[in-house]
Amino acid sequence: RQQGGQAGKSLAFLGAGGVFQHSVQLSQAGQGARGLGQARAQALSYEGRHREALAAQRETVRLFEAALDRKRLSSTRNRIAGAYVTLGKIAVEAGDRPTACDSFRRARTMLADLDRTGELITNLNLHKAPLDRSLALCASGGPVSAMRVFD
């Protein structure tokens, strides 16, 4: 696969090390270990280390879900939805169709729930239509390479 795929494209100008350094800054700005883990997963995907990126992002999702078990805050629920979007994007870059479809399905379900309760944050709202297109490909057996959450 091409290095620096979709998951790392938005921060590609930083290079892989810069993406990780950027993630450290986000972490220090209040994102904590979960935000740091997500940025690390994106940096690994940017480097083409998709297997490691998937493992790192799965751990990020686990940490967000553990936080949700303690407090059911809308901010945590939004972060989990975003973490599933990121996991799906990394899975697309890795060519892992089952993980991509499962992650996009989970993200879309959470977005619908957050939207229904009026808690969906704006930047995640922008993912609904692209997620729906990817999920249609999942349902029809379309190729993982055609799934794009961000263009």
Side-chain angles (χ1 to χ4, degrees):
R1 302 228 17 128
Q2 182 178 4
Q3 183 176 355
Q6 189 179 23
K9 193 180 291 182
S10 64
L11 297 175
F13 67 94
L14 295 173
V19 171
F20 190 72
Q21 185 59 35
H22 178 71
S23 70
V24 170
Q25 292 167 351
L26 287 176
S27 177
Q28 292 168 344
Q31 288 285 335
R34 296 176 298 263
L36 183 60
Q38 182 154 303
R40 178 176 175 270
Q42 290 172 314
L44 288 167
S45 181
Y46 175 77
E47 292 177 337
R49 297 164 57 188
H50 301 300
R51 186 181 311 254
E52 292 170 80
L54 286 168
Q57 188 60 21
R58 283 185 179 110
E59 177 63 12
T60 297
V61 168
R62 189 194 67 73
L63 289 170
F64 276 127
E65 288 177 337
L68 186 62
D69 286 344
R70 291 189 300 276
K71 292 184 181 178
R72 295 201 58 81
L73 301 174
S74 64
S75 60
T76 303
R77 292 171 52 225
N78 274 281
R79 286 185 183 118
I80 293 170
Y84 274 120
V85 169
T86 301
L87 181 59
K89 288 172 42 183
I90 293 169
V92 166
E93 292 303 320
D96 184 341
R97 189 177 189 287
T99 298
C101 291
D102 182 61
S103 299
F104 291 155
R105 194 172 301 109
R106 289 173 186 252
R108 189 61 181 96
T109 298
M110 292 189 82
L111 294 181
D113 185 49
L114 287 161
D115 196 24
R116 183 182 48 76
T117 60
E119 299 172 301
L120 181 61
I121 60 175
T122 303
N123 70 324
L124 285 177
N125 190 45
L126 300 173
H127 298 307
K128 291 190 300 189
L131 282 170
D132 289 344
R133 286 191 296 274
S134 290
L135 288 171
L137 288 167
C138 290
S140 69
V144 68
S145 61
M147 295 176 194
R148 294 288 177 236
V149 177
F150 307 103
D151 292 341

